[in-house]
Amino acid sequence: MSKKIEVCLTPALIDLYDIEQSIVVVIDILRATSSITYGLDNGAEAIIPVANVEDCLTFTDKGYLLAAERNGEVVVGYDFGNSPFSYTKEKVGGRTVVLTTTNGTKALHLANKRAFQVVIGSFLNLDSLCDYLNAQNKNVLLLCAGWKDQFNLEDTLFAGAVVKKLRKNFEHFDDSSVAAEDLYDIAKDNLRAYLHKSSHSNRLAELNIEEDVVFCLQLNICNVIPVLDGEKLVALNPQPPKGGF
């Protein structure tokens, strides 16, 4: 079987793709999928993505940590947002986190409706993710979370990095994959410098969280591959069951 790889540049386009037999990689580099990867790598038991801030409240009495972000800021009254510095071993080790974000959790829910499997991608686990995808006999869709259904640079750059690594073992690249790889080739020597052009990078800089941006652009500091198992994101097992919310 020849495997194909495609890049969906925004969740608004996901209905155009046949993903029932595909592994969908959800990408929200700044910052949801980076923080999810870092949290599970640091021993979080699970991370439960929910669509709305109000949905977090249904988990109030379960002893979970509640994390909510909108427009780059922590929602008042919640334990934290989606900064990777909130997902350290000291804070999340052995705990379950309920998380809602502006873009990433929405993309997760859309992917989970039809995908064979949903996993999480970030620069933090790039090599581990690509090794896993190479080993599977499945098509791959790289789903960029974007910004409120619009295209963004940082997620597309990561998609390009994955395409570049998988190129030898996949066929049938779409034009989005070609464009993403070309962008990554332009930016790869200094991702941060290139992303100074991006709207979301500037948005986060205005919130004085430049450290988060720099952290999320680190390569391969995590080995974990987060996978959706039922309603929870957990560290990947060899053959995780496919579940639904």
Side-chain angles (χ1 to χ4, degrees), residues 162-223:
V162 175
V163 169
K164 191 171 187 68
K165 283 186 170 289
L166 297 184
R167 174 169 288 285
K168 292 181 180 178
N169 295 315
F170 283 75
E171 299 177 3
H172 307 298
F173 290 79
D174 63 350
D175 284 359
S176 296
S177 298
V178 174
E181 185 178 6
D182 283 352
L183 276 174
Y184 176 69
D185 278 335
I186 292 169
K188 64 185 178 183
D189 292 336
N190 193 334
L191 290 171
R192 183 65 194 105
Y194 188 83
L195 285 175
H196 277 301
K197 302 176 183 180
S198 76
S199 60
H200 195 44
S201 172
N202 291 327
R203 206 175 287 118
L204 294 177
E206 289 176 5
L207 297 172
N208 198 30
I209 43 181
E210 168 67 14
E211 285 184 341
D212 284 18
V213 178
V214 173
F215 186 93
C216 292
L217 298 179
Q218 295 179 98
L219 290 172
N220 301 314
I221 65 168
C222 299
N223 293 317

Side-chain angles (χ1 to χ4, degrees), residues 53-120:
V53 172
E54 296 76 18
D55 294 337
C56 284
L57 299 177
T58 64
F59 295 88
T60 301
D61 299 326
K62 297 182 181 292
Y64 297 163
L65 295 168
L66 304 182
E69 171 270 337
R70 284 296 181 272
N71 300 315
E73 298 183 282
V74 179
V75 178
V76 175
Y78 289 81
D79 295 309
F80 45 83
N82 65 349
S83 168
F85 295 107
S86 296
Y87 291 76
T88 61
K89 289 180 181 179
E90 294 75 18
K91 291 184 178 180
V92 303
R95 303 290 300 275
T96 293
V97 180
V98 181
L99 172 66
T100 183
T101 72
T102 306
N103 304 294
T105 52
K106 175 185 176 180
L108 277 163
H109 279 260
L110 288 172
N112 195 56
K113 289 178 180 179
R114 294 189 294 121
F116 173 79
Q117 186 183 64
V118 180
V119 299
I120 293 295

